[in-house]
Amino acid sequence: MAGYRIEVRGTVQGVGFRPWVCRLARRMGVVGRVQNDPRGVSIEAFASTAVLGRFIDELRTDPLPTARIAELREAPIPDEDLDAFVIESSEASGRKALSIPPDLATCEDCTKELLDERDRRFEYPFTNCTACGPRFTIATGIPYDRAATTMSEFVMCEACRAEFDDVENRRFHAQPNACPECGPSLRLDRLDGHAATASNVLAHAAELLSRGKVVAVKGLGGFHLACDATDGAAVRRLRERKHRDEKPFAVMVQSLAEAGALAEISSEEGALLSAAERPVVLLRRRQDARLAVEVSPDTSLLGLFLPYTPLHHLLLAAARRPLVMTSANVSDEPICFENDEARRRLEGIADAILLHDRKIAMRCDDSVSRVIAGVPTIMRRSRGFVPRPIYLSRPVARPVLACGAHLNNTFCIAMEDTAYFGPHIGDLETVAALDFFEEAIERMQTILSVRPEVVAHDLHPGYPSTRYAQTRTELSVVGVQHHHAHVVSLMAEHGICDQVLGVAYDGTGFGEDGTSWGGDFLLCTAERYERVGTFRPIRLAGGNLAMREVWRIGYALLHDAYDGAPPRNATALLDGVPSSSLLLVKQMIEREINAPRARGVGRYFDGFGALALGRARSTHEGQVAIAWDQVANTSVVDAYPYEIDRRTTPWEVDLRPAVRAAVEDLAASAPPGDVSARFHNALIAATSELLDLLWAERGNLPVALTGGVFQNERLAAGIENVIRNKNEVLRHGAVPPGDGGIALGQALIADAVMRDKG
Ligand code: ZN
Ligand code: ZN
Ligand code: FE
């Protein structure tokens, strides 16, 4: 007999991994034990050397499909006299473990049962097993077992109990296990004053959808608003009722094949769509897609996702059409998740509401992913991912809570060698969003059983997340520069602690000097950074107003490029802006009244986009920037001129020559697509030239591309193509490049600051 201790790291908790190991061991005649530990699963196995070798091979080469093994390490241990293989409860290990896994999409086995007339769960919308179903969103406490979930009010029937207790069964210890006998049930309420039919609720919902009605649907982490995505009038109505401007809606389709009829899908994108996390995936819409233009009026990107609950599968099958499925909320408020709350808040928005009696304990919005220049990149990390840990290559000394930034807020808790992002909170613009933020922090602290000792926040004094951190006076409070945090988030994702050259491009972020940064080159580690490059600032006349009235930025570019006297043909590009408004903005810039300087590369996109597309306004953050990216003519390879000013500290990219060249192009009636391409090419060239200069001066450091602007595929791919032969290039994958990913970097920087203090 020989003995081995095998440590498995990765996504191995809450996916049925322990029972699977147990079955495998018993089949092979291996004795020992398996249990969860804080970092994954550990196995102690005893058998003959030959059998053990095969057992480990099997674990390595043919793992459970729902598990994702990041690392498997084995070491010999002394033989023990055992006669069986057992699953040991997590508590027995005596160490605290995060036992709550993320929610997972309905697995293949469960989907089959759902459609099998002979199965006792035929068409049962709450079917699940150890490999799938709700988890994080139903957990009310720890450890993760049925008593500490919202399923505790349902008592398992005999048949369900037998499955739950049988280690050979797919539902062994599946905490939300249920069936039509004993589990939750579905119901449809009309909110439009009509009576709902009691029988065949799904057929009724499908019928309403086919008549252009808006139906709210209770999902895993909250309610969606659904309507027929092929019906323009229905989609318009939904937009009006939800007060949603032109931001695209996500669309749920029944199958990968159906997704392929609406959008172009690469194999990587197909894998993302089908992954157990089931994010919304941003894809290129097909010209001939049978879909209302109102779904995404302003962009050729289309967000699609596949059903992830049995209820979705059944609803899509009954409706037989793609459905808009957008978070049920008004404007920027958090997603609705309680039945009474939903009925109250959705009155006047939804015509009916499809709901059930399994409570949602924790709100969790859909996640969003996109393949950016070949790399699957998460843009919003929430349902399906939270609370899965991110492993740190250097443990934090004390538990840290990092509060994130302002837009697309998420927070992060780091403890020992793991970091946990909370769910997507959204923009911290409303009282409801702030309440959600605080409540979610409390809950994450509870389920991680951790009390942070350090709290990190953005340097911006006006952010509600900053003010929240400053109320936690019982903790050590550390302010962290926004772009430093962006770079360190990316370093952490790649397990890098040594110095890198960070390129942080975004819309805005508070700088150490009190001005807005966002086009910054930082030589940095978690401990410190040096700002070695930036962009020439733009005056934002009217401050935040300029973000919506992007013509103000366009004008500021002209004013700067022509030394305060742009020619008539240049200002004519701002067609539709009254000359009195132009004059006012000119005066604000010249007298420096409410015209703060901003260096965000995102603002250059706004400004150039406004001039070349004749777009005076942006209805939501990034709208003009995204449109500007998509019009670019790929066959245009030349670039606008620019300068790099090395007399300043930090060095400065000056795009005034590019502005003048673009004005000449537009005066000569060049298509906006050509102007866009030359603008992108100029940014790519300027970035790589500045990197060359910095490498020569500071040594050959790896480059970290981060910030919301790197959601722009043309720019990310363009820069990577130019520099990848010269040096290592880091890009985001598992942590969002935008402000949704910033909290991780904040946590690690705060930890480093506290270490420095001793
Ligand atoms: Zn399942
Ligand atoms: Zn049952
Ligand atoms: Fe940012």
Side-chain angles (χ1 to χ4, degrees):
M1 288 284 271
Y4 268 98
R5 181 180 166 82
I6 304 154
E7 285 177 0
V8 190
R9 288 176 50 180
T11 307
V12 287
Q13 292 189 8
V15 293
F17 191 73
R18 284 176 307 158
W20 175 80
V21 170
C22 184
R23 289 195 292 273
L24 178 70
R26 287 180 183 180
R27 202 166 62 234
M28 298 179 79
V30 174
V31 298
R33 56 181 75 91
V34 57
Q35 67 186 31
N36 283 338
D37 68 28
R39 309 197 58 180
V41 164
S42 59
I43 304 164
E44 289 175 349
F46 308 94
S48 71
T49 315
V51 169
L52 267 186
R54 279 208 305 281
F55 176 66
I56 293 170
D57 264 2
E58 191 80 18
L59 288 174
R60 215 188 277 282
T61 56
D62 196 17
L64 179 73
T66 45
R68 207 166 301 149
I69 296 182
E71 195 185 333
L72 192 150
R73 269 194 308 216
E74 78 244 24
I77 48 169
D79 192 10
E80 276 183 55
D81 191 20
L82 300 172
D83 50 13
F85 196 96
V86 295
I87 298 178
E88 237 160 56
S89 66
S90 313
E91 301 91 272
S93 73
R95 287 193 286 176
K96 280 182 197 145
L98 172 70
S99 53
I100 304 173
D103 304 276
L104 294 175
T106 311
C107 72
E108 253 174 66
D109 289 334
C110 286
T111 313
K112 261 183 222 141
E113 287 179 350
L114 198 60
L115 306 173
D116 179 357
E117 280 177 50
R118 293 155 309 171
D119 195 277
R120 72 188 188 93
R121 290 191 177 82
F122 175 55
E123 295 192 338
Y124 182 56
F126 307 96
T127 299
N128 65 85
C129 73
T130 38
C132 75
R135 281 129 168 77
F136 175 66
T137 55
I138 57 165
T140 54
I142 48 164
Y144 176 66
D145 61 33
R146 190 166 177 115
T149 69
T150 58
M151 283 300 289
S152 63
E153 35 190 279
F154 301 93
V155 178
M156 271 188 268
C157 68
E158 252 173 61
C160 286
R161 186 84 229 177
E163 294 165 339
F164 187 88
D165 289 334
D166 176 8
V167 71
E168 300 291 330
N169 193 285
R170 240 179 62 234
R171 296 193 162 90
F172 175 69
H173 286 187
Q175 305 302 342
N177 190 26
C179 77
E181 279 298 304
C182 65
S185 54
L186 197 62
R187 148 171 136 235
L188 184 90
D189 287 0
R190 295 286 291 254
L191 298 181
D192 56 0
H194 294 272
T197 47
S199 67
N200 212 339
V201 165
L202 278 163
H204 190 171
E207 193 257 338
L208 291 174
L209 288 165
S210 73
R211 289 199 281 120
K213 302 283 186 189
V214 174
V215 179
V217 181
K218 188 171 182 176
L220 276 182
F223 282 81
H224 282 117
L225 288 167
C227 76
D228 181 350
T230 65
D231 179 345
V235 181
R236 260 196 317 276
R237 206 168 313 131
L238 176 56
R239 270 192 194 285
E240 279 158 23
R241 292 183 186 176
K242 202 174 131 93
H243 301 298
R244 168 107 147 193
D245 39 49
E246 291 163 352
K247 240 189 220 173
F249 282 136
V251 172
M252 188 178 273
V253 292
Q254 212 179 346
S255 64
L256 205 50
E258 203 184 308
L262 301 178
E264 289 164 35
I265 299 175
S266 69
S267 60
E268 284 142 335
E269 289 163 338
L272 269 186
L273 279 168
S274 323
E277 295 89 357
R278 284 292 198 283
V280 173
V281 182
L282 299 186
L283 302 157
R284 288 162 311 284
R285 180 189 180 130
R286 277 188 188 284
Q287 293 287 346
D288 58 352
R290 285 205 45 233
L291 216 51
V293 284
E294 288 85 350
V295 168
S296 54
D298 200 47
T299 154
S300 57
L301 287 182
L302 183 61
L304 295 182
F305 58 153
L306 297 179
Y308 55 84
T309 69
L311 175 55
H312 293 150
H313 281 284
L314 297 169
L315 183 65
L316 268 287
R320 297 202 313 270
R321 68 197 70 216
L323 298 177
V324 164
M325 285 284 244
T326 182
S327 299
N329 56 6
V330 184
S331 299
D332 294 325
E333 299 217 320
I335 188 169
C336 294
F337 74 115
E338 282 168 336
N339 289 355
D340 292 342
E341 175 216 14
R343 257 193 304 258
R344 201 177 54 241
R345 280 173 63 195
L346 299 178
E347 182 112 62
I349 298 177
D351 299 296
I353 175 162
L354 188 58
L355 73 175
H356 56 73
D357 50 354
R358 186 181 70 205
K359 289 196 189 94
I360 297 172
M362 187 67 181
R363 248 191 284 243
C364 204
D365 254 295
D366 291 320
S367 296
V368 181
S369 283
R370 182 180 174 194
V371 175
I372 300 176
V375 183
T377 309
I378 190 146
M379 304 191 21
R380 180 202 282 174
R381 189 180 185 278
S382 201
R383 190 229 348 118
F385 295 92
V386 176
R388 189 192 296 163
I390 288 168
Y391 294 106
L392 305 175
S393 58
R394 190 175 66 181
V396 293
R398 276 170 280 195
V400 189
L401 164 67
C403 297
H406 186 62
L407 300 179
N408 292 310
N409 178 278
T410 59
F411 60 86
C412 176
I413 294 175
M415 52 196 284
E416 294 167 14
D417 60 355
T418 43
Y420 301 87
F421 273 105
H424 166 78
I425 307 287
D427 302 348
L428 291 180
E429 303 255 292
T430 60
V431 174
L434 255 174
D435 287 347
F436 176 31
F437 171 76
E438 294 190 18
E439 165 197 310
I441 288 175
E442 268 307 312
R443 269 186 66 85
M444 283 294 281
Q445 289 180 174
T446 305
I447 65 170
L448 294 168
S449 39
V450 63
R451 297 320 288 183
E453 292 170 32
V454 180
V455 60
H457 63 82
D458 194 274
L459 284 185
H460 198 301
Y463 284 174
S465 55
T466 301
R467 291 201 296 267
Y468 167 82
Q470 287 164 346
T471 62
R472 304 269 320 238
T473 46
E474 77 280 17
L475 311 179
S476 306
V477 183
V478 182
V480 176
Q481 203 281 321
H482 188 95
H483 305 98
H484 187 201
H486 268 307
V487 180
V488 174
S489 277
L490 179 54
M491 291 168 68
E493 179 181 342
H494 292 274
I496 290 177
C497 297
D498 295 335
Q499 198 177 48
V500 302
L501 185 44
V503 180
Y505 286 176
D506 65 3
T508 184
F510 200 79
E512 302 269 5
D513 57 3
T515 70
S516 171
W517 297 358
D520 289 275
F521 290 68
L522 308 177
L523 270 179
C524 77
T525 59
E527 282 73 25
R528 58 189 57 83
Y529 72 90
E530 182 188 348
R531 186 157 163 256
V532 289
T534 188
F535 275 65
R536 186 179 168 82
I538 305 172
R539 291 258 173 210
L540 300 185
N544 283 340
L545 184 60
M547 258 83 108
R548 270 172 289 133
E549 297 194 358
V550 288
W551 66 265
R552 290 165 182 260
I553 303 177
Y555 181 78
L557 291 180
L558 295 176
H559 188 275
D560 192 27
Y562 292 97
D563 291 325
R568 183 168 292 276
N569 70 355
T571 48
L573 296 170
L574 298 168
D575 201 20
V577 177
S579 51
S580 57
S581 303
L582 276 185
L583 184 64
L584 186 68
V585 163
K586 178 175 158 56
Q587 287 168 346
M588 289 170 86
I589 291 171
E590 286 168 0
R591 295 176 194 165
E592 301 184 14
I593 299 165
N594 192 18
R597 293 180 306 157
R599 299 174 188 271
V601 169
R603 301 284 90 89
Y604 278 96
F605 278 85
D606 288 339
F608 271 85
L611 294 173
L613 299 172
R615 293 277 288 265
R617 278 166 189 82
S618 169
T619 66
H620 56 268
E621 163 86 9
Q623 187 192 23
V624 170
I626 291 168
W628 183 225
D629 167 20
Q630 289 176 12
V631 300
N633 177 355
T634 28
S635 61
V636 173
V637 294
D638 59 319
Y640 287 138
Y642 58 87
E643 273 161 28
I644 292 174
D645 189 346
R646 284 195 280 169
R647 291 162 308 177
T648 58
T649 309
W651 294 346
E652 214 167 82
V653 176
D654 181 352
L655 290 178
R656 283 177 299 176
V659 174
R660 292 188 291 264
V663 167
E664 277 167 36
D665 255 1
L666 290 163
S669 304
D674 294 9
V675 178
S676 172
R678 290 184 185 117
F679 165 74
H680 279 88
N681 295 343
L683 264 184
I684 293 164
T687 306
S688 80
E689 188 182 332
L690 187 45
L691 285 171
D692 279 334
L693 295 169
L694 289 167
W695 280 327
E697 190 107 333
R698 298 306 190 102
N700 253 355
L701 295 165
V703 171
L705 302 180
T706 185
V709 167
F710 283 106
Q711 293 170 27
N712 177 320
E713 181 165 35
R714 183 173 313 278
L715 193 68
I719 294 174
E720 186 169 10
N721 282 341
V722 182
I723 64 176
R724 85 169 131 224
N725 297 331
K726 305 177 190 171
N727 232 313
E728 190 187 353
V729 184
L730 308 174
R731 275 178 42 207
H732 283 275
V735 173
D739 287 0
I742 212 165
L744 175 62
Q746 288 179 339
L748 301 188
I749 293 166
D751 175 63
V753 167
M754 294 309 293
R755 267 175 220 274
D756 263 5
K757 286 188 181 165

